[in-house]
């Protein structure tokens, strides 16, 4: 019915926790595929080795670091109708995937993402709302779930968007469920390293053809531990600008001049925030 693909790098403790969580599900996956770009090979780690020997886990070590390309490689091994992209540092209740696929099958959803606890947009202040208006070219009450401007994306504003299923311009690959044949139409972009925004690129592209929904009543925890890359704010911001540029050009469809102006405005906006 469904297979899970996990791209991981140097987070074996979190990975083992996530995999244990998966194999305690009421509704188990057909397969779990781990594509590991860690500095070490963890195929002999006690719990992973047991799952591998039991045929429950496919573990593949790669010599490059790109969560986007790792996910594509894992997806190439999937033969089930549905594919789940899952981060290596999440946890959820034992009925998590049972609830998800009940919603998917009952509503004929093709691409969904459950609610990540703590990840949400607040109703924007007047100043922020005015900034979003300039970037997007349209007025919206919350901009929850929107993708606009120079590649900006907002999580749903659950405070106001209270529906069980919230339509969106993009979805997060921290936990992303879709039909495999739909994923094969696009795949993740070849973003390198931490791959900031690869989920926005993929799902924003698919939005042109398919409806995307957040499942607001089904949630999970994302631990998001610190890493050398995340701690390097300059490197992270540079990658964000680089990948947002691709999103703005390829997905949103900005012309180069508009993109330059909107990205310049965004840099000024972030600089002013940093000064506060």
């Amino acid at each position: 019915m469904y297979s899970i693909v996990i791209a991981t790098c140097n987070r074996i403790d979190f990975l083992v926790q996530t995999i244990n969580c998966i194999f305690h599900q009421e509704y188990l996956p057909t397969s779990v595929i781990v594509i590991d770009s860690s500095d070490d090979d963890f195929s002999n780690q006690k719990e992973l080795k047991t799952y591998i020997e039991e045929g429950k886990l496919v573990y593949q070590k790669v010599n490059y670091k790109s969560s986007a390309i790792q996910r594509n490689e894992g997806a190439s091994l999937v033969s089930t109708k549905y594919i789940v992209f899952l981060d290596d540092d999440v946890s959820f209740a034992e009925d998590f995937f049972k609830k998800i696929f009940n919603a998917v099958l009952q509503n004929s959803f093709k691409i969904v993402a459950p609610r990540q606890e703590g990840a949400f947009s607040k109703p924007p202040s007047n100043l922020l709302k005015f900034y979003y208006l300039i970037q997007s070219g349209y007025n919206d009450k919350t901009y929850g779930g929107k993708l606009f401007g120079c590649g900006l994306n907002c999580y749903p504003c659950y405070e106001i968007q209270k529906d069980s299923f919230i339509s969106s311009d993009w979805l997060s690959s921290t936990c992303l469920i879709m039909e495999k044949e739909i994923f094969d139409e696009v795949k993740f972009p070849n973003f390198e390293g931490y791959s900031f925004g690869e989920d926005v690129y993929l799902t924003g592209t698919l939005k042109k053809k398919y409806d995307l929904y957040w499942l607001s009543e089904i949630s999970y925890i994302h631990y998001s531990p610190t890493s050398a890359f995340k701690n390097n704010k300059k490197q992270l911001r540079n990658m964000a600008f680089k990948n947002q540029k691709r999103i703005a050009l390829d997905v949103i469809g900005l012309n180069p001049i508009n993109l330059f102006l909107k990205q310049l405005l965004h840099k000024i906006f972030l600089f002013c925030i940093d000064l506060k």
Side-chain angles (χ1 to χ4, degrees):
M1 180 66 169
Y2 77 101
S3 298
I4 296 176
V5 172
I6 301 175
T8 188
C9 181
N10 294 327
R11 296 201 292 206
I12 183 62
D13 292 338
F14 281 97
L15 174 64
V16 169
Q17 176 180 290
T18 297
I19 289 177
N20 283 334
C21 199
I22 291 170
F23 287 121
H24 281 86
Q25 287 295 291
E26 293 178 10
Y27 184 42
L28 290 169
T30 301
S31 64
V32 178
I33 300 165
V34 173
I35 307 298
D36 188 1
S37 63
S38 299
D39 298 329
D40 298 316
D41 188 329
F42 293 112
S43 58
N44 286 319
Q45 193 276 345
K46 182 179 178 180
E47 289 179 270
L48 295 190
K49 185 177 181 180
T50 298
Y51 288 131
I52 293 169
E53 291 176 346
E54 292 175 348
K56 296 179 179 179
L57 177 67
V58 176
Y59 177 92
Q60 188 166 307
K61 183 74 174 62
V62 295
N63 59 5
Y64 61 84
K65 297 186 188 301
S66 166
S67 58
I69 299 174
Q70 286 172 242
R71 288 185 174 120
N72 287 339
E73 187 161 340
S76 70
L77 304 177
V78 170
S79 58
T80 50
K81 180 175 181 179
Y82 294 98
I83 185 170
V84 176
F85 294 102
L86 193 66
D87 273 11
D88 61 0
D89 57 346
V90 297
S91 66
F92 30 77
E94 292 181 358
D95 61 352
F96 181 65
F97 284 112
K98 181 180 179 180
K99 287 182 175 179
I100 287 174
F101 282 101
N102 280 342
V104 167
L105 296 175
Q106 289 173 11
N107 297 278
S108 299
F109 291 148
K110 294 184 178 297
I111 312 172
V112 299
R115 176 175 178 168
Q116 178 181 322
E117 294 185 15
F120 58 88
S121 293
K122 295 180 179 180
S125 64
N126 290 335
L127 179 60
L128 183 58
K129 192 172 182 180
F130 178 67
Y131 175 67
Y132 284 169
L133 172 62
I134 295 174
Q135 281 283 353
S136 66
Y138 61 83
N139 188 28
D140 189 85
K141 189 174 183 179
T142 66
Y143 291 92
K146 299 298 183 182
L147 171 62
F148 56 92
C150 59
L152 308 180
N153 61 291
C154 297
Y155 277 95
C157 180
Y158 297 111
E159 181 179 330
I160 294 176
Q161 297 171 286
K162 297 182 180 296
D163 294 335
S164 299
F165 313 124
I166 299 175
S167 180
S168 184
D169 292 343
W170 72 284
L171 296 173
S172 170
S173 61
T174 306
C175 184
L176 176 65
I177 300 93
M178 68 175 70
E179 293 184 1
K180 172 62 163 50
E181 65 178 10
I182 290 176
F183 171 76
D184 289 340
E185 295 177 16
V186 179
K187 298 183 174 59
F188 286 100
N190 59 343
F191 290 172
E192 298 176 353
Y194 179 69
S195 304
F196 183 96
E198 80 273 26
D199 48 2
V200 180
Y201 190 104
L202 171 72
T203 57
T205 301
L206 289 171
K207 174 65 176 180
K208 298 175 183 179
K209 188 175 179 181
Y210 303 99
D211 294 326
L212 313 180
Y213 292 98
W214 295 94
L215 308 178
S216 64
E217 296 178 352
I218 305 172
S219 65
Y220 64 96
I221 297 172
H222 182 210
Y223 295 100
S224 193
T226 58
S227 64
F229 188 91
K230 288 183 178 180
N231 287 334
N232 189 327
K233 293 184 179 180
K234 181 178 180 181
Q235 184 180 7
L236 184 60
R237 183 164 288 186
N238 286 341
M239 175 168 282
F241 281 128
K242 177 183 176 181
N243 293 354
Q244 284 173 335
K245 182 176 181 179
R246 290 243 341 237
I247 292 167
L249 289 171
D250 299 346
V251 180
I252 298 175
L254 288 187
N255 64 56
I257 294 177
N258 278 341
L259 172 59
F260 173 79
L261 294 174
K262 288 179 183 292
Q263 200 161 49
L264 176 61
L265 177 62
H266 190 53
K267 289 179 180 180
I268 294 172
F269 178 76
L270 293 178
F271 177 75
C272 292
I273 291 178
D274 288 341
L275 290 178
K276 291 184 178 180

